Amino acid sequence: MRKILTCVITLLLVVLAVPRHASAQQVPREEYEKLKAQLDSLKAEMNEAFDEFDSTIAGIRDSIRFSQHGTTRLLFSGYGVTDFISTRDGESEFEAEVAPMMLWHLNDRIHFAAQTEIEAGEEDLTINLEYANIALHATDFLTFGAGKFITPFSVFLPRLHAAWINKLPSKPMAFTDDGIAPLSSLGAFVRGGFGGAATRMTYDVYVINAPELITTGDRVGQIKSVDGGDERAFGGRFAFVFLKPGIELGGSYQTSEVARLRALDFSFTHAIAPLGGNFDLRFEALRSEPDQNVFAGLVEGTTRSFVKNRYEGGYGQFAYRPTSSKALRNVEASVRYDWVNYPDWRDGPNGDDATRYTAGIAYVFTPSMQIKFGYESRDNKITEDTRSLVLRTAIGF
Amino acid sequence: MKRTCFFVMSAAVLSACAAQPANLRSTSTQPVPNARHAAGTSMGRAELWAATCSRCHNLRAATEFSPAQWAVILNHMRSNAGLSGQDYRMLLEYLAGRKAVETPTTTAQIGSGQK
C-alpha cells in the first residue's frame, strides 16, 4: 500500500514539474488551415499528374498495339469454302471458293471494306468484286457510305450469305446468283441504329444504279444489277430488334423503273435453358414485280405479256444446337423449307416454280470453322425433280 | 398464307419458351463472357456482345483477336449490323479493352481521328 502511495505522489510531482511547452508550440488555427489547403492542393496536383501519366501510358500502349505488323489499321481476312455435291442421277462435282476481304480502319470514324469472291467449279474460274465501299460514322446513329455494297435488302444477303455463317451448305433459292434481289449494288447508303436498353431500331436507306430487267433466256423477268446507267433505284430496310429474347422483325422495299421489290423478315435467336440449347429460327419472304409496260417496251415488237408478273420466294429455317450436352454441344442440326415462284407468261412459258426441303447437320470445330452435311429434295413444277447431297467445309474470319 | 401462319405460330411458341434470360453455356467452341470483364458493370457489355453477335453468327471470344484487330472488325460490324455508336464503344471496351475516341466536331478532327 505504501509502495502504491509513493508511486502516485511521485507521478504527481513529475507531472507538475514538466514545463508546459506543448501549448506554447501549438500551430495557430490559421496556419493549420493554410498548411491543410497546401496539402490538398498538392494532393490534387499529384492526382492530376498521375492521371496524365496513366493517359500517356495508355496512348503509348495503343500506339504499340496499332503498330504491330499484320494487326494495324489494315486487316486481311475473309472466308473459304469447299463443296462436294452429288445428285441422284449420278452426277457429282467439287467446288471451291475463296473470298478474301480487306478492312481498312482509318480511325474510329472512317472505314473501308472490300471483298472479292473467287469461285472454281464446273464452269471457268469466276472472280467478282462483292463489295468495296467507304463508310463514315457521322454520329452515333448515322453512318454514310458509298461504293459497291451488299444490298441491304432483306437479311440473308447482307448478313447470312457467307459460307461460315449460313447454317446449311446451300443458299435458299431466292438468294442464289439467279435470285430475286442482286447481291451487291453500286451507289450510296445511310444506315444506323438507335434504341434503349434491350430494344433497337435499325435502318438502311440507299440509292443505287437501277437494275435492269432480263428480257431473254431462262431468267426473263428477273432483275440484275448493273454498273452504270442514268436511272436510279431507291430502297431501304427498317427493323425492330429485341435483344431479349433475341427477336428481329424487319421489312425491306426497293423501287425502280423496271421493278418493285418487297421483303419481310423475322428471326429468333436465343439460348433456351429448359430445352438445353441454342435456337435459331428464321423466316424471309421476298417479292419482285417487274413492270409490265416497261417490259413490253424493252422487247421490241413483242406482244408478250405477264399473266402473273410476280417473282417471289423465301424460306423458313430452324436450327438447334444442344449446348448443354457434352457429347453433342458442337453439333448443330438445321432444317429449311424454301420456295421460288417465277413469272408466268400469256401463252407460255410458265415459270418453273420450285419448292425444296433441306436437312443438314454441322459439326462446329471452332465458331468460324464447320463441316456441314446436307440433303436437299427439290420439286420443280416443270423440269425433273432433283435430290442431292452436299458436303461443305467452311472457314471464316 | 398457311406457311406464314405456321412460321408465326412457331415463333410465338418459341418466344414464350424464351422468357428467361439468355443462358450462355461454356463449351469448347462457344465462348463465354470474357472473365477479365465478367464482374460488375461489364455484365451489360457481355450481354450486349452475346445478344448482338449471335443475331447472325457464332460468338467469337475476346481472345481470338488482338485489340487492334477488334477495333477494325467492330468498325466493320458497326456498319453491317446497324450498331449505334454507344453499342460500338461498349463492345470495343468489352472485347478490346480500349475506349473509342469521342465524336469529332470538325472535319479536320474526323480526318485525324482526334477529338
Side-chain angles (χ1 to χ4, degrees), chain A residues 108 137 200 282 330 397, chain B residues 29 55 60 75 87-88:
Chain A
D108 283 332
H137 305 298
R200 301 281 186 280
R282 296 182 185 277
N330 293 336
F397 91 102
Chain B
T29 59
R55 276 163 57 202
R60 311 298 294 273
N75 220 331
D87 288 347
Y88 163 74

Side-chain angles (χ1 to χ4, degrees), chain B residues 58-114:
Chain B
N58 292 325
L59 292 175
R60 311 298 294 273
T63 49
E64 282 194 54
F65 299 102
S66 72
Q69 288 173 321
W70 273 122
V72 183
I73 292 165
L74 286 172
N75 220 331
H76 180 55
M77 289 300 165
R78 179 176 175 183
S79 184
N80 275 12
L83 301 179
S84 70
Q86 189 184 354
D87 288 347
Y88 163 74
R89 287 189 292 274
M90 285 177 73
L91 291 171
L92 191 62
E93 270 193 76
Y94 176 67
L95 293 166
R98 182 174 84 83
K99 288 190 176 179
V101 296
E102 297 301 320
T103 305
T105 51
T106 68
T107 311
Q109 286 169 346
I110 290 173
S112 66
Q114 300 299 312

Side-chain angles (χ1 to χ4, degrees), chain A residues 178-189:
Chain A
D178 301 336
I180 293 174
L183 174 65
S184 52
S185 310
L186 274 161
F189 62 82

